Amino acid sequence: MRWYLLTFFLFAVTNLNAQTTFDAHFNTLKKQTIDSGITLTFDEPKDLSLLKPTKIIIFALPNGNTTAQTFGKRLAQGDDWHYDIQHIGAQTAFIRNSDPKTNYIIVYFENELKSWPTWRRKYASGDNQIGKMVNQLLRSYQHYQPKLILTCHSGGGSFIFGYINSQAQIPAVVERIGFLDATYGYETGKQLEKLKKWLKIKNSSLQVIAYNDSVVVYNGKPLVSPTGGTWYRSKLMANDLEMDFKLKAYDFTDRLIWDNKRRLVSFSLIKNPEAKIFHTVLVEKNGFIHLVFNGTSFQSKNYQFWGERAYENYILN
């Protein structure tokens, strides 16, 4: 597997926080391309210090989205609507501002097919390639002794399940795994025992956010099959883990929750009585922030999951 480094040094004269355009900022980010049609984009903190603990957050892109769209920007006339549905860039800025004592490095994983399930079907050794990519990424930052957080949205969940499948056991360097409406590919027989063993490592955390997609009808047809959506798959995963990790189930007006005492294992499933499509709304309503902070001292500080955008001031024009 060959890696090619493409680094762009386009520096704006004006202050990044206030005046720099989205294009000028996004083009400063380091990128790496791999010969299996994968591009990695690195969003590193301005001050990457060896004196701070370091967390590398992999964000596996959803189906049909580019990295630029996933990063997000404030919409101008004529812009594609995809730029305004995730805002991982602005949510990252919120996370860094909330926890300035930690290096947060975000690495976006995109493939040329714009679909991780399709990419894995194309490459017979895809799961092993995913494992090698993640390991090489960790080695490139080994001087910082990083912890790894695996996150995703939508079809990006296929990337994480591919990684889990590639490992004899999930390594301790993986601190947290978070699914944003992305558990379509969960299979009890393939991933459960590995998740159980990993979650017994101190401070390992599993965070799952989904909504009731089983009631949605789109273009006259059910949006998902009875057992293929994230509502069903997330409930299956929660039930599989409930006994071993003493999860308590709560049935609130707007959501179902399973979590343990420290919320290191947590499932938040939004109900959907009006049968709306909340697939991207889960991300927009501070979903990425919550995946990273739930069960930590920063949980719900200056933000609420399923509340108004807490990162509005960090969105670039």
Side-chain angles (χ1 to χ4, degrees):
M1 186 180 299
R2 298 188 300 275
W3 295 58
Y4 305 93
L5 182 61
L6 302 174
T7 306
F8 297 85
F9 295 105
L10 298 180
F11 291 99
V13 176
T14 53
N15 184 289
L16 274 178
N17 292 329
Q19 300 175 41
T20 303
T21 66
F22 166 80
D23 288 337
H25 176 67
F26 187 74
N27 285 333
T28 66
L29 302 182
K30 181 176 70 176
K31 298 175 176 64
Q32 288 180 322
T33 60
I34 305 171
D35 57 359
S36 49
I38 294 170
T39 299
L40 278 58
T41 302
F42 297 76
D43 181 359
E44 297 178 347
K46 186 177 180 181
D47 177 23
L48 187 54
S49 172
L50 284 167
L51 300 179
K52 297 179 181 180
T54 296
K55 298 186 180 184
I56 299 173
I57 304 178
I58 288 177
F59 190 83
L61 265 62
N63 295 347
N65 287 240
T66 66
T67 298
Q69 290 166 345
T70 300
F71 187 96
K73 60 174 289 186
R74 205 172 301 281
L75 288 185
Q77 187 174 1
D79 283 340
D80 189 307
W81 59 274
H82 288 89
Y83 284 98
D84 192 39
I85 60 174
Q86 296 177 85
H87 291 294
I88 301 305
Q91 294 196 57
T92 296
F94 178 94
I95 289 167
R96 288 176 177 149
N97 186 66
S98 300
D99 181 16
K101 294 182 179 180
T102 300
N103 294 319
Y104 287 98
I105 301 169
I106 316 300
V107 185
Y108 297 81
F109 273 69
E110 177 183 353
N111 68 74
E112 62 185 359
L113 304 176
K114 293 185 180 179
S115 167
W116 283 109
T118 303
W119 184 90
R120 287 176 65 210
R121 287 193 293 269
K122 179 178 179 179
Y123 293 95
S125 61
D127 289 357
N128 288 333
Q129 288 190 57
I130 289 172
K132 289 178 181 177
M133 284 188 291
V134 172
N135 290 338
Q136 186 160 344
L137 174 66
L138 287 169
R139 285 195 296 271
S140 69
Y141 287 101
Q142 61 185 333
H143 296 305
Y144 294 90
Q145 299 181 312
K147 289 293 187 178
L148 182 63
I149 299 176
L150 300 172
T151 64
C152 59
H153 175 221
S154 183
S158 181
F159 177 96
I160 292 183
F161 289 127
Y163 174 75
I164 293 173
N165 293 346
S166 74
Q167 304 297 299
Q169 62 185 43
I170 303 171
V173 70
V174 179
E175 178 180 78
R176 179 172 290 242
I177 297 175
F179 294 93
L180 271 167
D181 211 33
T183 53
Y184 302 100
Y186 173 69
E187 297 181 61
T188 299
K190 288 186 176 181
Q191 291 101 27
L192 177 60
E193 291 307 314
K194 293 181 182 180
L195 286 171
K196 281 184 178 181
K197 191 169 184 179
W198 168 69
L199 284 169
K200 290 176 182 177
I201 300 172
K202 185 178 180 180
N203 294 325
S204 293
S205 179
L206 175 67
Q207 302 290 324
V208 177
I209 291 172
Y211 82 107
N212 190 353
D213 53 2
S214 69
V215 298
V216 179
V217 175
Y218 183 71
N219 288 336
K221 298 180 181 180
L223 185 67
V224 296
S225 69
T227 61
T230 58
W231 178 257
Y232 177 88
R233 291 287 159 181
S234 298
K235 289 170 70 175
L236 174 63
M237 188 187 293
N239 290 329
D240 283 348
L241 295 170
E242 189 170 10
M243 292 293 293
D244 289 77
F245 298 96
K246 299 179 181 179
L247 303 184
K248 290 188 177 180
Y250 303 91
D251 189 345
F252 295 111
T253 302
D254 65 338
R255 71 192 74 182
L256 299 175
I257 288 179
W258 288 262
D259 59 25
N260 59 8
K261 188 174 182 180
R262 294 179 59 197
R263 295 187 179 176
L264 289 179
V265 181
S266 180
F267 293 76
S268 184
L269 278 59
I270 301 297
K271 296 180 180 180
N272 191 13
E274 297 180 8
K276 295 182 178 180
I277 298 176
F278 289 137
H279 185 56
T280 60
V281 182
L282 295 171
V283 188
E284 176 190 359
K285 289 182 174 288
N286 308 318
F288 179 67
I289 296 169
H290 197 60
L291 284 189
V292 175
F293 278 166
N294 196 36
T296 76
S297 60
F298 301 100
Q299 171 189 308
S300 299
K301 285 190 176 181
N302 300 315
Y303 83 92
Q304 290 293 329
F305 169 61
W306 207 239
E308 296 301 315
R309 295 177 175 183
Y311 52 86
E312 188 72 32
N313 292 337
Y314 299 101
I315 300 175
L316 297 177
N317 293 322

